[in-house]
Amino acid sequence: MTESYGLRTINGQAAHELARELSFPRFPGSEGEARARRLLRERMEGLGYGMEEQPFRYDARRTEILRLTSPLLPFAVLSGLAFLSARAPLLSASAPLLSKWAPLLCWIAATALLILALSLLRWPWLETLFEGDRDSSANLIGRRPPDSFREKPGHRPAVYFVAHVDSKSQPLGIVARGLFFSALTLTSLAGWVLLGLRGFAPGAVGGGALAFMSFLLLIFGVPLSVNVNGNRSPGALDDAAGCSVLVELARILRARDDLPYEPVFAFTGAEEAGMVGASRLAERIARETDPSRCFFVNFDGPGAGRGLLALIHGFVRAENRSPILRSTRGSAVARAAREAASACGVPLHVVRLVPGAGVDGVPL
């Protein structure tokens, strides 16, 4: 099947066949992941691209432990503080001042823990958890040879087209994970509010309400805490489809000498281990090139549903109003994506990244 979008001719059948060929278990660091890289390298070199394999080492044990234990932390914190708050009246004889302020102190402790957790959920800090050499993977980078450019490479901005090679299996699908994560987050905030009411207005909230919130946190946290990774998924959609789209895009752009940018094709490794390959790629770009002249288009799960789905995450500063934060939905990148899709007649839907999910676009 061949479809024409504007000036670009896409061989959808070729992309589909390659995606099927890549659809076998490819857990980070496994022989399946290495086999997929070899296949992609062969295809890209057949198109005339120069390929560079960039190996890296990491240790995913700390992040895996954190991923499986953190869903139970809200339950442990709320139930523990609720227990201490309920025992405060017993101190009325020996420590009346502590008995009076114990509920408020519990809420302050919960607030401090919440602020600490939010401050640690930043990607530069999370990257340090992967330090080590227990596991290994590699990024595969493809560039056109210098004779494809009218001027020397590096004189124009680089656009990195990114897709991850590896795959993983989990008992919970991405939608279920998002629902449980959202429920856990909202229930945690509700418990924090109830603790605050108990501290500022003694008697307004009984122990039963906090016990019920703790029970809900346990119900929502346990499925996430047993959602272990495995190597059973063929990863056709996530992300053999993205890799096949990149190869087809590379075929189209190989003969284009009029591009205002330098196309670079990055097949990243260990995305399912915590976007490690994308992080290593970002570090390398920061060391060796000018990051301000590098742009990234991440393909993760193309072919799901109808049309294109643009995932966004985080916030950006609004134009001319630097203190004000607004969603990337209104950013220049999102607008450019809509305009390009509209010009090509391709349906585009811009949505937020599912809570609890991660893609290579986060570290990049």
Side-chain angles (χ1 to χ4, degrees):
M1 178 178 63
T2 300
E3 299 177 354
S4 295
Y5 293 152
L7 299 177
R8 290 160 173 75
T9 302
I10 298 175
N11 189 337
Q13 184 62 35
H16 183 260
E17 290 175 359
L18 178 57
R20 289 177 62 90
E21 194 172 350
L22 287 168
S23 296
F24 50 83
R26 310 179 303 278
F27 194 75
S30 68
E31 170 57 29
E33 187 191 33
R35 173 186 163 196
R37 278 198 305 272
R38 292 193 296 268
L39 177 58
L40 290 167
R41 180 170 195 148
E42 177 184 330
R43 291 298 183 93
M44 293 291 288
E45 287 178 342
L47 294 173
Y49 281 81
M51 303 303 295
E52 178 188 6
E53 187 163 312
Q54 301 174 350
F56 57 85
R57 301 193 70 85
Y58 64 100
D59 192 336
R61 287 176 294 184
R62 288 185 292 271
T63 55
E64 186 65 7
I65 292 173
L66 179 63
R67 185 181 70 84
L68 295 178
T69 57
S70 58
L72 296 178
L73 291 180
F75 162 75
V77 171
L78 183 61
S79 59
L81 292 177
F83 176 80
L84 292 176
S85 178
R87 290 294 182 270
L90 300 179
L91 301 174
S92 56
S94 57
L97 188 61
L98 180 60
S99 174
K100 177 181 178 181
W101 294 104
L104 182 58
L105 291 175
C106 288
W107 178 80
I108 293 175
T111 303
L113 290 173
L114 179 62
I115 294 174
L116 177 63
L118 292 176
S119 66
L120 293 178
L121 288 177
R122 294 178 295 109
W123 190 250
W125 178 83
L126 292 175
E127 279 185 52
T128 62
L129 298 178
F130 293 99
E131 294 177 355
D133 59 0
R134 175 177 177 266
D135 306 302
S136 64
S137 185
N139 292 329
L140 188 63
I141 310 298
R143 291 181 171 87
R144 299 190 301 177
D147 58 8
S148 299
F149 297 89
R150 289 179 175 175
E151 70 272 3
K152 293 181 179 180
H155 285 199
R156 44 185 156 182
V159 175
Y160 284 75
F161 299 99
V162 183
H164 68 89
V165 178
D166 56 313
S167 67
K168 70 177 179 184
S169 58
Q170 284 186 335
L172 293 178
I174 187 172
V175 175
R177 293 200 307 270
L179 291 175
F180 276 111
F181 186 85
S182 298
L184 186 67
T185 301
L186 294 175
T187 308
S188 299
L189 291 176
W192 174 75
V193 170
L194 291 179
L195 270 178
L197 290 175
R198 188 182 180 92
F200 285 100
V205 177
L210 292 177
F212 178 69
M213 283 296 173
S214 299
F215 173 73
L216 290 180
L217 289 175
L218 185 63
I219 294 298
F220 297 140
V222 167
L224 295 173
S225 68
V226 298
N227 193 40
V228 296
N229 294 331
N231 190 25
R232 298 183 301 276
S233 172
L237 181 63
D238 186 17
D239 190 27
C243 292
S244 65
V245 168
L246 254 64
V247 172
E248 182 62 17
L249 185 60
R251 182 189 65 80
I252 295 171
L253 298 183
R254 174 64 179 83
R256 295 283 301 274
D257 62 356
D258 59 339
L259 296 175
Y261 58 88
E262 176 187 351
V264 182
F265 297 89
F267 302 91
T268 59
E271 190 266 359
E272 301 291 5
M275 299 156 285
V276 186
S279 299
R280 298 294 187 269
L281 176 61
E283 293 170 1
R284 190 167 185 138
I285 290 173
R287 288 195 311 266
E288 301 178 356
T289 64
D290 180 5
S292 66
R293 293 176 59 78
C294 297
F295 304 88
F296 305 90
V297 181
N298 183 46
F299 292 83
D300 203 335
R306 298 180 179 179
L308 296 178
L309 188 67
L311 295 176
I312 60 175
H313 63 90
F315 295 88
V316 296
R317 294 187 182 275
E319 294 88 341
N320 303 322
R321 299 177 65 185
S322 57
I324 306 298
L325 292 176
R326 75 174 184 183
S327 164
T328 50
R329 185 182 294 274
S331 69
V333 174
R335 289 198 301 272
R338 287 195 184 92
E339 291 171 2
S342 177
C344 294
V346 178
L348 177 68
H349 310 284
V350 181
V351 299
R352 285 208 162 277
L353 189 63
V354 177
V359 295
D360 277 342
V362 174
L364 293 173

